Amino acid sequence: MAVALYDLGSAAGLKKLDEHLLTRSYITGYQASKDDITVHEALPGPPSSEFINVSRWYNHIEALLRISGVSAEGCGVIIEGFAPIAEEAVATPPVDETKAAAAEDDDDDDVDLFGEETEEEKKAAEERAAAVKASAKKKESGKSSVLLDVKPWDDETDMQKLEEAVRSIQMEGLLWGASKLVPVGYGIKKMQIMMTIVDDLVSVDTLIEDHLTVEPVNEYVQSCDIVAFNKI
């Protein structure tokens, strides 16, 4: 079912979007989709920090666009007063422009396209290559290694199913590592599990609040705590 939003340039429109994202990581579904891109394009710029959930979502989508892009289709989103540019609209140039381009091609037939590069052209090419390399390096995102304490409800909780439930949570930028059971007392054991995250893609607080301590995982998990957090 399509999500309906309106006037994202106003405080009222941003407030509605903020409320929508209060319990969601994305506009629709459980992964970034074209619905997120549509809303991102409809925003006039980065949202005010007053809208906490919109700011969190906006920064996450910005990071995805820089690193890997978004290709999932989504369920549909309607934004009053905003019409995204259709792909077909830019697919084929007008006939007149095509004819003009063909005429220009005819005029250029006598140009030597394979002449030797001048020193200026070589220098410009080297500068472009250096700029691309620097840009790619800048886009590299940092990673962190995190150790979590995952606590069950009681001594009757099936710890194997608890671990399966935790590892069932999958998202871009999250990689689960080794785990072990640690005695707590009165026959109760907690699970310690390692994970590696891409900092721009995964928020540990959001992972805990929106995934590890909600249904269906909270059938086995009572709470989660961060034991160690180290940059890689």
Side-chain angles (χ1 to χ4, degrees):
M1 182 176 181
V3 173
L5 301 169
Y6 66 91
D7 195 8
L8 295 181
S10 70
L14 284 173
K15 182 178 180 182
K16 181 176 180 180
L17 177 58
D18 197 67
E19 292 171 350
H20 177 77
L21 290 169
L22 178 62
T23 58
R24 299 173 176 86
S25 296
Y26 303 103
I27 299 299
T28 59
Y30 297 97
Q31 62 177 328
S33 70
K34 293 182 180 178
D35 294 342
D36 295 277
I37 301 304
T38 299
V39 176
H40 182 274
E41 291 178 350
L43 287 168
S48 166
S49 58
E50 172 188 355
F51 304 103
I52 298 174
N53 302 304
V54 180
S55 295
R56 164 184 55 78
W57 166 85
Y58 184 90
N59 292 334
H60 180 55
I61 297 303
E62 283 275 297
L64 281 178
L65 292 175
R66 291 197 308 270
I67 296 171
S68 60
V70 175
S71 59
E73 288 299 325
C75 302
V77 61
I78 300 170
I79 305 173
E80 183 179 333
F82 175 76
I85 299 173
E87 293 180 0
E88 293 79 9
V90 296
T92 306
V95 174
D96 291 343
E97 292 183 8
T98 304
K99 291 181 178 178
E104 290 179 3
D105 288 343
D106 291 339
D107 292 340
D108 291 341
D109 285 344
D110 58 346
V111 177
D112 183 7
L113 300 178
F114 301 98
E116 293 185 2
E117 282 187 321
T118 65
E119 288 299 321
E120 290 79 5
E121 289 172 336
K122 288 181 180 179
K123 185 177 180 180
E126 290 173 357
E127 289 175 351
R128 286 196 298 271
V132 170
K133 186 176 180 180
S135 177
K137 186 175 181 180
K138 184 178 179 180
K139 290 181 180 179
E140 291 179 359
S141 179
K143 293 183 179 181
S144 297
S145 175
V146 185
L147 178 63
L148 289 181
D149 261 356
V150 184
K151 300 172 184 175
W153 287 102
D154 51 40
D155 60 341
E156 295 182 357
T157 300
D158 189 324
M159 297 303 290
Q160 182 175 349
K161 289 185 177 179
L162 178 146
E163 181 174 356
E164 291 173 355
V166 170
R167 291 184 183 275
S168 70
I169 298 170
Q170 299 292 325
M171 63 178 66
E172 188 172 6
L174 169 64
L175 177 65
W176 294 108
S179 66
K180 67 177 181 179
L181 297 180
V182 179
V184 176
Y186 303 101
I188 300 175
K189 294 181 179 180
K190 65 181 178 181
M191 180 180 73
Q192 288 191 335
I193 186 167
M194 292 292 301
M195 65 179 184
T196 301
I197 62 171
V198 176
D199 297 332
D200 285 345
L201 299 180
V202 180
S203 162
V204 180
D205 290 337
T206 301
L207 174 65
I208 292 174
E209 294 171 7
D210 294 352
H211 298 279
L212 290 172
T213 54
V214 298
E215 294 182 351
V217 181
N218 67 354
E219 179 181 350
Y220 306 101
V221 176
Q222 181 209 39
S223 63
C224 293
D225 295 305
I226 300 172
V227 179
F229 194 115
N230 298 301
K231 295 288 184 181
I232 298 178

